């Protein structure tokens, strides 16, 4: 599959599907059960990029569930993410590369299967997120195109004829849910089509008493037909993931792919790294001086960097990995190399100048790309910190008691109270670490107009320490400028 840059078609020419009024498409539908694996060559870069863009959407779906967003809010956020990273235009949209869009969607799904098939927990979370994405796309699809998709598959449902519907009219009408007005509900019932399936295929409808059960069959009204489709999608994906898991050991010898899959599988723990992860450049336009760091830490730092700063002030020292993480964070925040040397020298005030210059100054300059191979190192993302138990993410590595103490100590002056800890700790227990951090941001920035569920102010979860700090500093600056403008008036 990864022999080079040559690309082969997904289907043979004989498999091209003629779509009425829209020409021939290799992928005739936006909706997809992903039955057939991608049988073409792709580059390693495309392999990773397609999966990462899809993972951004799935991670946001899971994050939304953990943040208790409503279904309408979830659809709005997901559709916005899809528009940015994985657009799928309708078949009638002839001015866009529909096959290209659907090819990316298809490839990304199968790459993530490889990443998330390796444990029961990852499979469960992947199935839930993918099914939610399918539901959102199903609801948004054009009615005619949705019907074409349904007609292209055998869902093994049996249409109920008029005689059978009449025979069980009383029972069917009793389970039919519609308008409260009885006459309106009966009119809708008379026009409704019904399908029979084994009751085990629609457990959600059985639970909600939306279907009539007879001899092991569930009589499903057409308006609830989607439940059959969604259940079929979920069951199909679960079986496919189990098959993939049994085949995965064959990939162990490919040193190019395993690191990528390991990185992708961390996506549900930390969210998907944002733009902050990809650059070693400073993101703050204002120059930050060494003497400003103490105040910035109290007002704007996430708990991971706040804890490192507090440890540095307490011990006048940090271990190598801590210096690396914290130093790169400050660098991207806007601390210049000259100010960084001043900051670390004052922090290590128990060392002699000679010892500091010999053992520490070189590493500081190295992190800024001024020594060694002169690489422009990026700050560590939440995902990277989650895999580092030494100076890693406190939400993952602190004990519950120590984490609660650290949070109250750091943020009680910013509005966090002990009453907020229950919600935060429940997300930590569910391993939604970035959601917990995002909730802390929302609480501590409520005075800036950040509401619950708003993330960092743009519906994004925290996925990078520099994202947290930069957004906090931005909100503070906007508020400060607004106050100054009012004084002038």
């Amino acid at each position: 599959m990864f022999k080079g840059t040559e690309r082969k078609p997904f289907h043979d020419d004989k498999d091209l599907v003629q779509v009425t009024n829209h020409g021939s498409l290799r992928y005739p539908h936006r909706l997809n059960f992903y039955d057939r694996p991608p049988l073409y060559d792709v580059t390693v870069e495309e392999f990773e990029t397609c999966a990462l863009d899809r993972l951004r959407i799935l991670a946001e779906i899971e994050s939304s569930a953990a943040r208790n967003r409503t279904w309408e809010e979830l659809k709005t956020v997901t559709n916005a993410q899809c528009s940015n990273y994985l657009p799928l235009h309708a078949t009638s949209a002839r001015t866009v590369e529909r096959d290209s869009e659907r090819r990316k969607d298809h490839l990304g799904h199968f790459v993530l299967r490889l990443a998330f098939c390796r444990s029961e927990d990852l499979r469960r979370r992947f199935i839930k997120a993918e099914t939610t994405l399918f539901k959102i796309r199903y609801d948004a699809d054009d009615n005619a195109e949705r019907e074409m998709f349904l007609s292209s598959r055998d869902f093994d449902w049996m249409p109920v004829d008029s005689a059978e519907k009449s025979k069980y009219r009383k029972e069917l009408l009793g389970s039919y849910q519609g308008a409260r007005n009885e006459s309106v509900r009966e009119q809708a019932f008379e026009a409704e089509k019904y399908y029979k399936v084994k009751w085990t295929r629609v457990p959600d409808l059985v639970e909600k008493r939306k279907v009539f059960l007879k001899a092991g069959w569930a009589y499903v009204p057409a308006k609830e037909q989607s439940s059959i489709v969604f259940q079929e999608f979920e069951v199909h994906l679960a079986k496919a993931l189990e098959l993939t898991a049994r085949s995965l050991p064959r990939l162990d010898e490919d040193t190019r792919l395993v690191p990528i899959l390991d990185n992708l599988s961390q996506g549900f723990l930390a969210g998907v790294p944002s733009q902050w992860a990809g650059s070693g450049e400073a993101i703050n336009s204002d120059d930050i001086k060494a003497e400003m760091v103490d105040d910035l830490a109290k007002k704007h730092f996430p708990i991971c960097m706040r804890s490192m700063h507090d440890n540095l002030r307490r011990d006048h020292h940090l271990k190598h990995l801590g210096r690396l993480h914290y130093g790169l964070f400050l660098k991207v925040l806007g601390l210049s190399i000259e100010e960084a040397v001043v900051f670390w020298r004052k922090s290590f005030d128990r060392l002699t100048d000679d010892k500091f210059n010999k053992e520490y100054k070189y590493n500081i300059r190295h992190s800024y790309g001024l020594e060694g191979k002169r690489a422009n190192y990026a700050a560590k993302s939440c995902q990277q910190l989650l895999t580092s138990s030494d100076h890693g993410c406190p939400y993952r590595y602190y004990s519950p008691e120590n984490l609660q103490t650290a949070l109250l100590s750091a943020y009680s002056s910013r509005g966090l109270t002990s009453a907020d800890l229950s919600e935060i700790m429940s997300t930590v227990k569910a391993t939604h670490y970035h959601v917990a951090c995002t909730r802390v941001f929302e609480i501590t920035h409520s005075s800036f107009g950040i509401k619950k569920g708003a993330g960092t102010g743009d519906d994004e979860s925290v996925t990078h320490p520099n994202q947290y700090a930069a957004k906090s500093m931005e909100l503070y600056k906007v508020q400060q400028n607004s106050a100054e403008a009012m004084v002038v008036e």
Side-chain angles (χ1 to χ4, degrees):
M1 183 174 176
F2 311 102
K3 298 178 181 178
T5 58
E6 177 191 0
R7 294 178 178 175
K8 298 178 182 178
F10 168 52
H11 298 298
D12 294 327
D13 289 340
K14 63 183 177 65
D15 290 329
L16 285 172
V17 180
Q18 186 72 23
V19 182
T20 305
N21 298 325
H22 303 306
S24 296
L25 293 174
R26 298 186 185 280
Y27 297 88
H29 311 291
R30 274 195 293 184
L31 298 174
N32 196 339
F33 264 51
Y34 308 100
D35 300 292
R36 303 176 66 175
L39 302 176
Y40 46 75
D41 291 350
V42 299
T43 64
V44 174
E45 180 181 3
E46 185 181 15
F47 178 91
E48 183 174 19
T49 301
C50 289
L52 188 59
D53 283 346
R54 189 182 192 87
L55 184 57
R56 293 180 190 278
I57 297 166
L58 299 186
E60 193 60 42
I61 287 174
E62 186 171 72
S63 173
S64 294
R67 292 157 71 178
N68 295 316
R69 281 175 170 154
T70 65
W71 176 247
E72 291 302 318
E73 290 172 337
L74 171 60
K75 286 199 297 185
T76 299
V77 171
T78 303
N79 285 328
Q81 289 285 85
C82 286
S83 179
N84 289 331
Y85 300 109
L86 197 61
L88 282 181
H89 287 86
T91 305
S92 57
R94 304 188 67 177
T95 59
V96 296
E97 290 291 335
R98 295 158 294 176
D99 265 330
S100 178
E101 290 180 343
R102 297 172 189 185
R103 179 186 186 279
K104 179 181 178 181
D105 172 74
H106 186 255
L107 176 60
H109 171 87
F110 274 92
V111 175
L112 291 186
R113 275 195 192 180
L114 296 176
F116 289 97
C117 72
R118 295 182 289 176
S119 75
E120 184 177 346
D121 179 60
L122 286 175
R123 288 195 293 270
R124 175 183 58 79
R125 295 167 74 166
F126 180 67
I127 291 170
K128 186 175 181 180
E130 278 282 349
T131 303
T132 301
L133 177 59
F134 182 84
K135 289 178 180 179
I136 292 171
R137 287 175 170 175
Y138 186 94
D139 287 348
D141 205 15
D142 176 85
N143 287 338
E145 293 183 17
R146 186 195 302 133
E147 287 302 318
M148 288 178 63
F149 167 74
L150 295 178
S151 299
S152 71
R153 301 187 60 86
D154 180 11
F155 287 97
D156 195 26
W157 50 43
M158 299 171 57
V160 176
D161 59 28
S162 57
E164 191 172 9
K165 181 179 178 181
S166 178
K167 179 180 180 181
Y168 297 116
R169 184 181 188 283
K170 180 179 179 181
E171 292 85 351
L172 292 173
L173 184 58
S175 63
Y176 188 75
Q177 298 185 15
R180 293 185 178 181
N181 184 290
E182 187 172 345
S183 61
V184 174
R185 187 165 65 90
E186 286 196 22
Q187 288 177 8
F189 168 75
E190 294 298 339
E192 191 75 75
K193 293 181 179 180
Y194 273 82
Y195 301 88
K196 281 196 305 186
V197 294
K198 291 295 183 180
W199 73 269
T200 52
R201 294 181 58 192
V202 284
D204 57 328
L205 298 182
V206 174
E207 181 183 7
K208 297 174 183 176
R209 299 185 178 183
K210 289 186 175 183
V211 292
F212 165 57
L213 300 179
K214 179 70 175 179
W217 293 95
Y219 288 71
V220 182
K223 69 174 185 174
E224 303 292 352
Q225 190 180 33
S226 59
S227 289
I228 304 173
V229 180
F230 300 155
Q231 178 71 6
E232 187 81 5
F233 179 88
E234 191 170 329
V235 170
H236 174 80
L237 182 55
K239 292 179 179 178
L241 283 172
E242 291 176 2
L243 289 173
T244 306
R246 290 200 287 269
S247 303
L248 191 65
R250 302 175 191 173
L251 284 176
D252 288 346
E253 298 177 0
D254 195 323
T255 56
R256 298 170 299 169
L257 302 186
V258 172
I260 294 175
L261 298 178
D262 288 340
N263 185 56
L264 290 170
S265 64
Q266 292 291 323
F268 280 158
L269 296 179
V272 180
S274 66
Q275 59 181 319
W276 313 105
S279 173
E281 300 295 336
I283 48 82
N284 190 65
S285 58
D286 299 328
D287 290 332
I288 295 177
K289 304 299 181 183
E291 62 268 19
M292 297 168 57
V293 177
D294 283 339
D295 187 56
L296 292 174
K298 292 177 182 178
K299 292 179 179 178
H300 306 296
F301 287 9
I303 190 62
C304 53
M305 298 301 149
R306 178 66 184 271
S307 295
M308 290 186 204
H309 182 83
D310 291 346
N311 290 342
L312 178 62
R313 287 291 175 255
R314 182 192 66 215
D315 301 332
H316 301 269
H317 192 267
L318 272 180
K319 293 181 180 179
H320 172 73
L321 204 56
R323 295 197 304 273
L324 176 64
H325 292 340
Y326 192 43
L328 290 174
F329 167 80
L330 293 175
K331 168 196 167 186
V332 174
L333 198 65
L335 192 69
S336 67
I337 177 59
E338 295 79 13
E339 291 297 322
V341 172
V342 172
F343 171 78
W344 288 105
R345 181 67 193 96
K346 289 183 177 179
S347 299
F348 291 174
D349 56 4
R350 296 176 181 176
L351 301 178
T352 64
D353 287 340
D354 185 59
K355 185 176 180 63
F356 176 81
N357 290 334
K358 287 182 178 179
E359 299 184 16
Y360 298 96
K361 190 173 181 178
Y362 175 88
N363 287 334
I364 297 170
R365 289 176 53 81
H366 187 276
S367 66
Y368 278 76
L370 300 176
E371 301 288 354
K373 63 179 182 179
R374 300 182 182 275
N376 187 25
Y377 295 99
K380 304 300 179 182
S381 68
C382 294
Q383 186 166 318
Q384 291 168 312
L385 292 175
L386 278 165
T387 59
S388 175
S389 57
D390 188 4
H391 294 287
C393 175
Y395 293 100
R396 183 173 191 180
Y397 294 109
Y398 281 22
S399 69
E401 295 76 16
N402 288 344
L403 176 58
Q404 292 178 77
T405 300
L407 290 173
L408 287 175
S409 175
Y411 301 118
S412 58
S413 62
R414 308 294 297 169
L416 185 76
T417 68
S418 56
D420 299 313
L421 294 178
S422 176
E423 179 186 1
I424 294 167
M425 296 309 296
S426 67
T427 58
V428 171
K429 185 177 180 180
T431 71
H432 299 302
Y433 306 115
H434 67 298
V435 175
C437 189
T438 302
R439 185 66 190 118
V440 169
F441 184 96
E442 293 170 348
I443 293 169
T444 55
H445 292 79
S446 59
S447 61
F448 296 88
I450 300 298
K451 298 180 180 179
K452 183 175 182 179
T456 56
D458 45 16
D459 291 327
E460 285 192 0
S461 300
V462 174
T463 59
H464 199 288
N466 282 99
Q467 174 199 16
Y468 186 112
K471 289 290 185 179
S472 179
M473 293 167 68
E474 179 184 320
L475 290 169
Y476 180 82
K477 187 174 182 179
V478 169
Q479 188 182 70
Q480 195 175 41
N481 290 342
S482 178
E484 291 175 356
M486 292 179 63
V487 171
V488 172
E489 291 178 0

